[in-house]
Amino acid sequence: MFIDYSLYILFLPLLAFVIQIFFGKKLPRQGDWVSILAIVSSLVLAVIMFASMISGYDPNFKQEASFTWIDMGEFKIRLGFLVDNLTIIMLLVVTLISTCTHLFSTEYLKGDIRYSRYFAYLGLFTFSMNGIVLANNLISMYMFWELVGVSSYLLIGHWFEKKSAADASKKAFLTNRVGDIGFFIGIMLIYNAIGSFAFGDIFNGVASEMITGTTLTLAGVGLFMGAMGKSSQFPLHIWLPDAMEGPTPVSALMHAATMVAAGVYLAVRIFPILTPDALLVVAYVGGFTALFAASIAITQRDIKKVLAYSTVSQLGYMILAVGTGVYTAAFFHLLTHAMFKANLFYGSGSVIHSMHHALHEKHDHDTDPQDMMNMGGFRKKMPITHWSMFLSTLAIAGVPFFSGFLSKDAILAGTLSFAQHHPQHFLLPVFGFGAALITAFYMFRMMFLTFYGKSQMPELIDDIHESPKIMTGPLVLLGGLSFFIWYTLPYFNFMSSHGWFTDLVVPKDSSVPGNPSADYISKGAHHAHHLAMYLSIAVAFIGIFLSWTFYIKKSLSAEAWSKRLRLLYRWSQNKYYFDENYNKYLYQPTLRLAKKVAWVDWELYDKYFINGFGRLTNLASRVAGKFDYDGIDQVLVDGTAKIANFLGSLLKTVQTGKLQNYVLYVTCGLIILMIIQTF
Amino acid sequence: MPVAEIVFWLVAAFTIISASFVVLNNQLLYSAIALLFSLFGVAGLYIFLWADFIAGIQLIVYIGGINVLIIFGIMLTNKISSVRLSQTNVQQGVGAVIALWLMILISLVISKTPWLQIESSEPSETVSVIGTLLLSKYLLPFEAISLLLLGALIGAALLSREAT
Amino acid sequence: MDQLNNYLYISAILFSLGTFAVMTRRNGIAVLMGVELILNAANINFVAFSRFGGMNMDGHIFSLFVIVLAAAEAAVALAIVINIYNNLHTINVDDAALLKE
Amino acid sequence: MGIVRGEEMVLNIGPQHPATHGVLRLQVKTDGEVVSQITPYMGYLHRCFEKHCENVTYEQVIPFTDRCDYLSSMSMNFGYVVAMEELMDIKVNERVEHIRVTMAELQRIASHLLCTGVFGLDLGAFTPFLWALRDRERILDLFELTCGARLLYNYMWVGGLSHDIPNGFVESTYEFLDYFEPKVDELENILAHNKILVERSADIGVMPKDVAISYGVTGPNLRASGVNWDLRKNDPYSIYDRFEFNVPVGEGIKGTVGDCWDRFYVRILEIRESVKIIRQALASMPKDGDVHQSLPKKLRPPKGSIYSRTETPRGDLGYYIESDGSPIPYRLKMRSPAFTALSVMDEIGAGWLLSDVLAILGSLDIVLGEIDR
Amino acid sequence: MGLLTNKFQDNVIVEKLDKLLSWSRSTSPWFFQFGTACCAIEMMAAAASRHDMMRIGAIPRSSPRQADVMIVAGTVTMKMAIRVKKLYEQMADPKYVIAMGSCATSGGPYWQHGYHVLKGVDIVIPVDVYVPGCPPRPESLIEGMLKLQEQILEERPLTRKMT
Amino acid sequence: MVKYFADIYNSTTAILSGMYLTINHLFRAKKGIATLQYPEERWPRPERTIGFEHGSYNVIRSRLHVDIDDCIGCLKCERACPVDCIKIETEKSPNRGEDIKDINHIGITSNSTKKALVVTRFDIDMSECCYCNLCTYPCPEECIFMTGGPNESRHSIDYEFSEPERTDLIYHFSKPGTKDGLQEMLNNREAEA
Amino acid sequence: MTVDFIYNFLNDLLPGFLGNDLLLILAMLLPFFALFGFITIYGFGVIYAELKVSSFIQDKTGPMGQGYGFHAGKWGLLQPVADGLHLFFKEDIIPATADRPLFILAPFLIFIGMFVGIIAIPFGEAIIISDMNIGIFYILGIGSLAVIALILAGWSSNNKWALYGGMRSAAQIISYEIPAGLSLIVVILLASSLSMQEIISYQSGGIFNWIIFDNPFMPIAFIIFFISALAETNRTPFDLPESESELVAGFVTEYSGARYAFFFLSEYVNMFVISAVAATAFLGGWQSPFPNFLNTPAWSVFWMISKAFFLVFVMIWVRWTVPRLRVDQLMHLCWKVFIPIGLFNIFGVSIWTVLRG
């Protein structure tokens, strides 16, 4: 049943995509109902799968189905599908968020010129994301990985008339490619050593030491590079904020909940083969990204940019958790983050939507509807949006009794315990807690600027309205899911003996010999749990308090502080000049190098070496030709030909040019042969 | 003589008579039609040889394909308005003698050779066996023949294109 | 009908008839028909040997290949014949003797 | 297809062929299926109309005009009486004018119905043809109610009509129109937007504007080429200037302007316009009025000549009448619209496939009666 | 049919067979659409929905080879007369001709001054039934067809003629 | 590519909609059938009761009929006929308005006109007639008319008169033997005189 | 019914009445006579249906048996009989310029081609004349005889219209055999057999087990097969070879009397054969649409015939709805639409089969 259902979940969106892309425009309502029907069916199936997983819980549940894709004798590639607890939860998340996005988009993109195409691409994306989730081997995962890249490219560039959108989609695509090269190298390293792409075979192979040491580390880091690209980790983080050029529901679906989570998912999947060195790389990259992105988010004015950097930061958290070994916590955070971050994006979409309408009423086309400095005081006007966003903000800030608190706490506990065991890596918890502090601060900054205080553009406030029901529906749903209670549901499930949601995924031991066992890690984390909890609560409340003083009470002036920390402020505001630096130190030198190389190739190599060689050859051939003609040709060849000519003129009489005669000769010959043979 | 035997000899006679009609008739179209009957007879012989799949292939490829092609060819290369499409022969006398000799010799060989005959029973299923063989033992020839067909296709298309 | 020889005789007759056609006919298409007869004769042999050699289907495969070859050959040959007709306005093969000199 | 390459074959389509709409002979040179030249041969239905008219009196000409374009006899009558009235300077009364316009437009609908139906038949759709004929029968019933004849009416006389319309005619006409309008939709649905028919007729046999004008093509064929020329608007006769109607022109909706589909579709649009005109004419028809002008027993037009033209369903119909003062016309010449339409056949028909040639012929809507006269 | 015509003595079986044969012929008079002028339109109308000649078994054929009845509908000109004769000769026996309308019957309106009109199609081919009218109403044509059926039904094709 | 599929889609829908139309006609055959089962039922002839005095003329173009007893031999119909299918010959009657018993000649018409002429020949060749109705208008005695319609009381409608012989389509309306009888009578009178 | 069955039955009925061989011949001939009777009755029925359906579509009544004397029965039920009889006793013209032997051969060749196809069509579990290993293949192969017959008919008439008709029909039939074959291959792929009976037994168990409902690709395959079948039977919208308004009567222009009747009848028999193949391959053959209900031999004959007749009815229905295509459009449809989609279909079904295991 699981395999069947998951196949349906996989292919229904693809079907919707096919229908939409070919017939979408012809269908009533541009066919959005086709996509919605498909995705809702998928959601229902996913819920059924999830329910049956809970009711008959088996920590080691696993089903696999595979078939041979390429069979060339020794070389075989088998593709297949893997369903386990992780997959089922992931499918639920993907289909849930995707459903919300579909519903939200019907209103948000109403009247768009490529409405049906948009839904088609959503279907394609959902298909490929589900494919990543369901893949049981690296190669099909890679295939779906690329498909996700393509559909992300298409969706970010949905409004490709805008140059910024087109550029952003290209940037996202190319940046991802960088990571994917690493990914592919990793895959090939592993295949070279083990001879299979399937996860099961790889884990067994690593456990039996078919691949060890530096190679394994390199392979792990390579695979992790893919995750870095997709989850926009530190050096490759530049694409995600730009990707906010796409429609907001797309940001919610892909750049908050699913696509960027694919990297984390990959990291979680490959965790058992990561060596300690690789894990350290992972942890540092994640931790640094968490703090670094959070520090950018403080100063952003664009509401979506804030959320984008927040996402990068949160993803850094998850990666950090993987790196420190508590990968179930990473997965848990992935889950909760998907819910509240998607909700935040929907909320921001709702705000932008109404801002947009309000500006439209005023015929004001210059003001940026996404700028928080133009908002303020929307609380009364958009109560549903406000409350749901508020709940999610509490969750992301890590306030107790909200989902984010649980997952964040688990991660911080893991980090803390790691640092306790390895004191030289004390920076990791610092990254973690620092990021938590800043997160609470900037998230509430965003809330306060948007919904509280006085309106900063008072002429607009009368035209701000609550969004229609189809948009607030997902908001309410996901806002409700920010409460911690849902993630403890299994605890109240009389059929299950398991407590927290996070326990649904039982950590497994790493396959790499010598890595600490899962039991060891979880014990450590448990040990550090209480300390981490208190610290994180404290940090969260400090952040909130700071934000309150800055933006509500205004006892501290934001302007004054920004002047005081001018350098930092400017760095943060300009994203640490990353794009500029990349441009200056990476792109331009590369281009210059390419030009140099081209010059060398054309001017030097081609002109002198190749042509000179040609001249030399010419000379030699003239000499040879003389010898050839006078010596060989005249005497040897012509002599032979003369003889042949003579013989030919003899045989010419037989050559009548008539087919029938030839056949006659052949048959005669045959008869003679037969007579000789027979008698 | 059992009925089947009579039918066999009838089919054989039918085949050979049609074939000689093909060879001896001077009107091309009649030859083509006679060829059709001859091929039909050969298909009948295949059925006697328990090769029903080959018989079906013979029907489709030879009768539905090659014979129609030949008829088309005849019509394309003659003035349509003239019904009688006669043609001429060369070296008929010599040819007849040699062909007769050939036949006699081959018959002699056949009659003199002690052929090994293995008793076997009619297979219940031929198609699946042929299919399996084609994709296992004879995979390479199968691929080669597909390439050849492709080449022939392209070649025929190229040749019959108008030279513009 | 349960004798290998019968089939071989039939095939021999078909073969010599085909040869006769190829030797005597001037028209290209008639020659082609003769070739088809020869191929059919060969096919009968293949299938007959397969039937009396233990029914092991290899002969069937070969006759299958022959039939496919015949189809390809007929297509190409007719294309050539039509080309010749278009260029020389004849399809008598001995008139198309450009190869002679 | 090139079945028979390089070999030209001469085909004689007609004089007896299901698709020639009568006894026309098209000598067609084909190369395979591609037609390289079309030569229409006429005269298989030459019935000596013009010479006949020099032997009968002016009243007696009318039955012969009927027989020229037997698909639109009313319009042929109309043209003749308009010419005669112009020649003799007769003014007929309002009621007569309204009845004449009603009849002419009903006749236009009937003629176009047959044309569209036959066009479908030429392309292989049998059913719409019979549906069209079924509705045409209703119009013929109306004519029969009025003048007793189904096809050749002899209804419009110089200076009036042969009969007044009967009681109940107006009501039955309204009833017919109400019945008919949905049927036009049905016809359009099964023919005009059928993909196969569109494929068969769109972009086929394109008659560009300048070709149409230089060959003197008139009527729906000209309008389908995008020329807005309708005598009812451009040179109004009778009382056409009083009615609101549009002149549909070909817009190349499915292909190029002036292709077969346009010629076909313009006729369907004209049917709708005619329905409009009939409704207006019926609404504004005076209640009474003598349908006979008091005229001499024998019509003796003054010496002189006249050329008068009217718009029949096929285009401009011109009558040239020369009178020498006797009761018998000295010379009567008819300029028939279908003749010019046929003459353009080679220009637009060559180069297409055989099937297309017949589609083009069908779309030109020729009637041999008036071509050969 | 020529093989069996008039070869048999009159007896019961032959008579029954004769009846069957003439019944089948009279019941399915497939007609050859030979419309030339105005009458052709009325012939179409007779075959169309309102009057539906198919009710009495008359189905239009476009090839003379398969038709039994040739309905000459409309004016036959001198130029066309040759073709009419040719087409009539191409029809297979038994064949019948209906002259529809005045023109086909006697030249009609053109009998006097029509220098190019054949004065009646019976000059070139034998006519079985003349249908009057100019043009005849579809009912008239059907009535003519019924008259023809009546004639056919009384034929005894197999019986040897006593001469 | 999109056009390719759009074409497929378009043709499918167009054909399906056409098929929907035709199947509708098939299943609603009872309601929609327009056929007239001719020999059994006939289309009702339009009834004409229009006001002007031609009301007594029939407008249905069917067979011509002449009430020869009312004919005064004025030749107006012959002159009106565009195709000259009416042939009339007359002889002077010996006495104007006198009945001549021998040849069934009635001297006074129903309109009480006294006849001056005896119609010895009144032939109408219906195979030449062009059914234009022109002859019926000028008749002063209204004795030539197309049958049926309002005249049904006098002569029922008649458009079904196909004949296997062409000569049967020539209708002789003058009473048989009129010409000879009149000649004989005149001869007799001459002889008597 | 297989020959063996009849043979045994006769042997039991008349033990030793005839020699074994004669009995065998009798057992072989009997089903052929039954078949001939069936075809005759079917021919009358289907021609009547065509007349009536077309008439109702066109808002008229069609043959009503009116007319003089003893007319064609109530509602014209005897109309086809009269048509057939009068055709068979008509003069049989062979044009002087025609190629006499081929002119005579063509109608028989086409009729034999159509007729022999029926013997592989199953009407019930045991009601089949010959249950061949390669049944579906055999029908396809024997159908190609028609091509040659049509070419011969067109060519030997020595008439330009006939020649055009023959050439067009040959090109058309050869082309459309490919998409028809492609869509049948899909069926063979699923049923993994060429035998008609096994294809049917694959579909046992009610309407949802029919191949057409087997997977989403099958309706497409069915539609392609059905339209190709229309083309192979030369019916509108593919009736170019005998299109009345273009080629007078196409390849039958010169045929009259009984020979014409053969062409006429063989078209309808071909319709039945193709419909029966479609019913077998896609609609469950003689299987009842209800699982294990109404599945007795008598009912199975009923199901088979009613399914085939339904498809024949659809063919008639289509004929009276649509206009006809042009030659190049016909070829375009075949080579650029049906064959790519058919190939894609094979691909899709293969993947589906693999994924479903």
Side-chain angles (χ1 to χ4, degrees), chain A residues 23 52 68 92 106 129 160 214 219 285 296 317 329 433 449 467 507 523 628:
Chain A
F23 308 110
S52 52
T68 307
L92 182 64
T106 52
M129 188 64 210
F160 55 76
T214 322
V285 168
I296 298 178
Y317 259 119
F433 287 103
L449 280 178
S467 300
K523 273 216 181 94
D628 184 35

Side-chain angles (χ1 to χ4, degrees), chain G residues 264-275:
Chain G
F264 198 66
L265 191 58
S266 68
E267 178 186 329
Y268 287 97
V269 175
N270 195 5
M271 272 163 76
F272 178 78
V273 172
I274 294 266
S275 299

Side-chain angles (χ1 to χ4, degrees), chain F residues 57-89:
Chain F
Y57 287 109
N58 181 10
V59 293
I60 300 304
R61 309 286 172 85
S62 56
R63 207 177 101 188
L64 276 171
H65 190 86
V66 180
D67 282 345
I68 196 69
D69 286 346
D70 287 354
C71 178
I72 57 170
C74 62
L75 303 188
K76 278 186 178 165
C77 51
E78 189 181 359
R79 279 187 214 116
C81 182
V83 298
D84 295 354
C85 73
I86 303 173
K87 283 111 185 162
I88 304 175
E89 285 170 12

Side-chain angles (χ1 to χ4, degrees), chain D residues 47-308:
Chain D
R47 296 196 285 194
C48 336
F49 166 70
E50 284 165 11
K51 284 292 152 208
H52 246 285
C53 297
E54 293 166 19
N55 287 304
V56 292
T57 59
Y58 284 103
E59 305 96 313
Q60 290 175 346
V61 167
I62 298 175
F64 288 100
T65 63
D66 272 338
R67 281 159 180 76
C68 279
D69 182 353
Y70 36 80
L71 284 178
S72 55
S73 303
M74 280 289 182
S75 311
M76 301 299 277
N77 288 353
F78 199 5
Y80 178 72
V81 297
V82 164
M84 280 303 287
E85 278 155 16
E86 219 171 305
L87 183 65
M88 294 176 71
D89 204 15
I90 303 172
K91 184 92 181 80
V92 291
N93 69 33
E94 285 291 293
R95 186 173 169 82
V96 172
E97 294 280 28
H98 280 89
I99 295 174
R100 280 182 180 176
V101 168
T102 312
M103 289 300 167
E105 294 306 316
L106 278 175
Q107 183 70 72
R108 191 182 306 277
I109 296 176
S111 169
H112 282 348
L113 268 181
L114 194 81
C115 167
T116 47
V118 169
F119 182 63
L121 185 63
D122 283 347
L123 301 184
F126 202 78
T127 302
F129 166 65
L130 288 184
W131 289 356
L133 276 187
R134 177 198 65 200
D135 297 337
R136 183 174 170 273
E137 287 284 330
R138 302 279 292 240
I139 301 177
L140 297 194
D141 283 344
L142 287 176
F143 288 148
E144 189 177 7
L145 186 69
T146 316
C147 66
R150 281 169 51 88
L151 196 65
L152 309 174
Y153 311 105
N154 184 21
Y155 181 59
M156 294 181 193
W157 285 3
V158 180
L161 305 165
S162 73
H163 312 81
D164 201 348
I165 50 171
N167 299 339
F169 174 83
V170 177
E171 290 74 20
S172 353
T173 312
Y174 273 131
E175 196 186 308
F176 161 73
L177 294 179
D178 293 341
Y179 155 86
F180 178 61
E181 272 169 318
K183 298 288 175 190
V184 186
D185 296 340
E186 206 177 58
L187 193 68
E188 187 174 336
N189 196 1
I190 199 172
L191 276 181
H193 302 301
N194 188 326
K195 182 78 180 163
I196 297 182
L197 188 127
V198 171
E199 283 291 318
R200 282 295 306 275
S201 55
D203 285 329
I204 305 289
V206 181
M207 175 154 61
K209 228 182 218 180
D210 49 335
V211 169
I213 292 171
S214 61
Y215 273 85
V217 176
T218 51
N221 296 333
L222 177 69
R223 291 194 278 278
S225 299
V227 183
N228 189 339
W229 178 259
D230 189 331
L231 288 180
R232 291 175 295 171
K233 278 267 190 219
N234 297 63
D235 183 10
Y237 54 97
S238 190
I239 51 168
Y240 272 112
D241 45 355
R242 297 185 203 167
F243 300 123
E244 283 286 322
F245 64 97
N246 303 325
V247 179
V249 292
E251 285 158 6
I253 299 172
K254 305 275 178 183
T256 325
V257 175
D259 56 10
C260 285
W261 193 85
D262 268 348
R263 286 197 280 278
F264 159 75
Y265 195 63
V266 157
R267 290 191 166 87
I268 284 191
L269 292 178
E270 277 190 19
I271 289 176
R272 296 185 193 279
E273 296 302 325
S274 292
V275 170
K276 259 197 234 165
I277 297 176
I278 294 169
R279 282 190 190 281
Q280 290 170 39
L282 289 179
S284 63
M285 187 181 288
K287 279 279 170 293
D288 43 31
D290 194 359
V291 296
H292 283 274
Q293 211 81 358
S294 53
L295 289 173
K297 277 264 157 74
K298 275 214 177 340
L299 291 178
R300 282 175 198 277
K303 233 174 170 170
S305 63
I306 184 84
Y307 178 77
S308 146

